[in-house]
Amino acid sequence: MTTAADSPLVQLLDPAHRADPYPVYARIRQSGPMQLPDSNLTVFSTFAHCDEVLRHPASASDRLKSTVAQRMIAEGAAARPFGPPGFLFLDPPDHTRLRRLVSKAFVPKVVNALEPDIAALVAALLDDAAAREDVDVIEGLAYPLPVAVICRLLGVPLEDEPQFSRASALLAQSLDPFVTVTGAAGDGVEERMQAGLWLRDYLRELIGRRRRDPGEDLMSGLIHVEESGDQLTEDEIVATCNLLLVAGHETTVNLIANATLALLRDPEQWAALAADPGRVAGVIEETLRYDPPVQLVGRIAAEDMSVGGVTVPKGDNMLLLLAAAHRDPELLDRPDEFDPQRPTIRHLGFGKGPHFCLGAPLARLEAAVALTALTARFPHAALAGEPTYKQNVTLRGMSELPVSLGVTSTRR
Ligand code: HEM
């Protein structure tokens, strides 16, 4: 039996593998489903298994259903000390009710209407970048774009950004599977808890302001729903805005940055996109497969489940290593190659089933506008050094991506 200490999962958590975790993922995938009974954990890493778990009716997202959580509650821990979680971590009927209330704001028709605003934001960011010649693409484009868009959508003042970006970064770390895998509390738990409390207080205060002075934004819309019936509570508005704010901060940045890096490592691809913006959809889907911003997701077995020849006992946590599944040789040829021209690109980068990413149309649009403008305007850009990665395992991404923009800057 594999123990937690010698598990390749521990290697996955090691920051030394963050720049290129894919060889570790391959080892895990080749060894088949992994069960760590002492940690009540089962890990799936092939495409077929991850796909099956995501669609399985006994797959739950509410962490309270796990044996680990139930044991802690039995030992006296509070069930939800910070109020309800975002609906990402809820099951029906609460998940269905809350998701329905915000889904209208994220359908393609509504999102596509944001395109002119997104294009204007991108143009302004690239104007600033052009003045500098060498830029960090994270700081100059990939981070500020999605942050400005989600703040505008939610009605969160961009001036407060420095404060909540720190909180959001800390909360993103709390999605890492350090507790379930190693059994250790991990570093920075207290700091992450404080960040969570701070962000909730911040949002509560902002909700108070919007209640007195509503705007056209999503937060004001949710407050209106709360005030006109018993469909949701203030705690649920806080949790929902918290989820959207963190999702808006910590994911699309990595899609834009990972695509930029993959294209720059293959200058022909960069030049091809610069010349033909019609290629951008392939670039985005291939990035979501090849180097996905969300590397893994979790589920809990609400019943005993049989997947991939193993029985997952009721209450076990399941880790689905999407980044490993996407390079499954059973799924496609040349899985370790970045090839946006593949005739079909299948991936689970936005999840699957009832929790399929609500922000997918928005993320795709932002990335499309950013990548077409960046390549068209700087067709001779090149890497100006190696990227630096954050420690995050789940929401893995770069903290710095140095790029030399090249001499030719074409104003679009
Ligand atoms: C490239 C960018 C993004 C990626 C790769 C991504 C990926 C994902 C994935 C994999 C899930 C499913 C999680 C699970 O099944 O447990 C998810 C759910 C979700 N995403 Fe995204 N996401 C991105 C951008 C966004 C954006 C911009 C927003 C909104 C502002 C957003 C909002 C959400 C929400 C609300 C959920 C929960 C859906 C539910 O539980 O019903 N995402 N995302």
Side-chain angles (χ1 to χ4, degrees):
M1 184 188 302
T2 320
T3 65
D6 59 22
S7 163
L9 284 179
V10 175
Q11 294 174 22
L12 199 59
L13 304 187
D14 182 347
H17 295 291
R18 203 66 72 246
D20 183 12
Y22 295 100
V24 180
Y25 280 127
R27 281 202 292 282
I28 298 174
R29 192 183 55 241
Q30 281 151 16
S31 59
M34 185 185 293
Q35 294 200 286
L36 306 174
D38 294 346
S39 305
N40 297 99
L41 180 72
T42 302
V43 182
F44 292 106
S45 49
T46 67
F47 192 88
H49 296 163
C50 291
D51 185 73
E52 185 176 344
V53 174
L54 286 173
R55 290 184 291 109
H56 202 293
S59 288
S61 290
D62 184 346
R63 281 8 184 198
L64 284 190
K65 291 181 179 158
S66 75
T67 303
V68 173
Q70 286 305 320
R71 197 180 299 137
M72 287 166 72
I73 291 168
E75 287 165 3
R80 300 211 199 270
F82 308 117
F87 58 84
L88 173 64
F89 294 118
L90 290 174
D91 295 320
D94 289 335
H95 171 260
T96 323
R97 172 175 55 87
L98 293 165
R99 182 175 166 117
R100 192 179 316 130
L101 289 173
V102 286
S103 57
K104 284 196 286 288
F106 291 97
V107 295
K109 185 163 173 258
V110 174
V111 165
N112 288 339
L114 299 172
E115 180 160 3
D117 282 354
I118 294 173
L121 279 166
V122 168
L125 290 166
L126 294 185
D127 282 347
D128 285 353
R132 277 176 284 150
E133 175 59 15
D134 275 14
V135 289
D136 168 12
V137 165
I138 309 291
E139 191 195 357
L141 175 68
Y143 187 70
L145 173 66
V147 167
V149 172
I150 194 64
C151 284
R152 202 174 283 183
L153 268 176
L154 276 176
V156 170
L158 201 52
E159 307 85 84
D160 298 342
E161 208 280 317
Q163 298 174 65
F164 61 69
S165 68
R166 189 176 169 275
S168 162
L170 285 163
L171 290 175
Q173 291 169 10
S174 57
L175 291 175
D176 283 355
F178 60 91
V179 181
T180 39
V181 175
T182 64
D187 294 335
V189 171
E190 179 60 28
E191 208 186 357
R192 286 194 287 275
M193 229 162 65
Q194 290 306 327
L197 290 172
W198 180 86
L199 191 55
R200 274 167 195 257
D201 285 350
Y202 170 83
L203 288 169
R204 214 175 282 283
E205 197 268 330
L206 193 59
I207 288 167
R209 270 194 269 163
R210 291 279 172 273
R211 215 182 268 290
R212 292 186 294 276
D213 181 18
E216 294 292 301
D217 51 79
L218 193 55
M219 187 182 286
S220 301
L222 290 174
I223 294 167
H224 178 72
V225 173
E226 181 217 355
E227 287 174 347
S228 53
D230 55 2
Q231 287 191 71
L232 91 164
T233 64
E234 179 167 300
D235 275 352
E236 288 173 336
I237 301 180
V238 172
T240 302
C241 291
N242 198 327
L243 168 63
L244 295 172
L245 201 60
V246 175
H249 267 69
E250 308 298 333
T251 54
T252 312
V253 51
N254 299 332
L255 176 58
I256 296 171
N258 294 358
T260 302
L261 178 63
L263 292 170
L264 286 172
R265 282 186 168 154
D266 184 353
E268 278 181 23
Q269 295 287 353
W270 182 275
L273 180 58
D276 177 9
R279 288 173 172 248
V280 77
V283 168
I284 290 169
E285 298 315 304
E286 178 69 344
T287 304
L288 285 159
R289 179 199 71 81
Y290 172 82
D291 203 12
V294 177
Q295 299 251 301
L296 55 98
V297 297
R299 287 294 186 270
I300 297 104
E303 302 293 340
D304 286 355
M305 287 166 64
S306 170
V307 177
V310 300
T311 301
V312 185
K314 177 179 175 180
D316 250 28
N317 281 305
M318 293 179 281
L319 276 187
L320 313 180
L321 304 183
L322 308 179
H326 290 174
R327 294 187 182 209
D328 184 345
E330 298 282 312
L331 175 70
L332 77 170
D333 296 334
R334 301 175 286 112
D336 293 318
E337 261 177 55
F338 178 76
D339 177 6
Q341 301 287 94
R342 291 176 192 280
T344 50
I345 302 175
R346 290 181 70 201
H347 64 75
L348 302 168
F350 287 124
K352 187 168 221 173
H355 291 274
F356 183 81
C357 178
L358 205 61
L362 180 60
R364 283 183 167 125
L365 177 64
E366 288 177 16
V369 174
L371 293 167
T372 48
L374 181 64
T375 50
R377 199 158 158 187
F378 304 106
H380 305 294
L383 277 176
E386 277 306 302
T388 314
Y389 280 81
K390 296 184 280 191
Q391 293 232 345
N392 303 12
V393 179
T394 303
L395 301 184
R396 170 176 164 273
M398 289 168 255
S399 54
E400 211 181 324
L401 175 56
V403 172
S404 159
L405 294 175
V407 281
T408 320
S409 162
T410 321
R411 186 76 216 270
R412 296 281 267 198

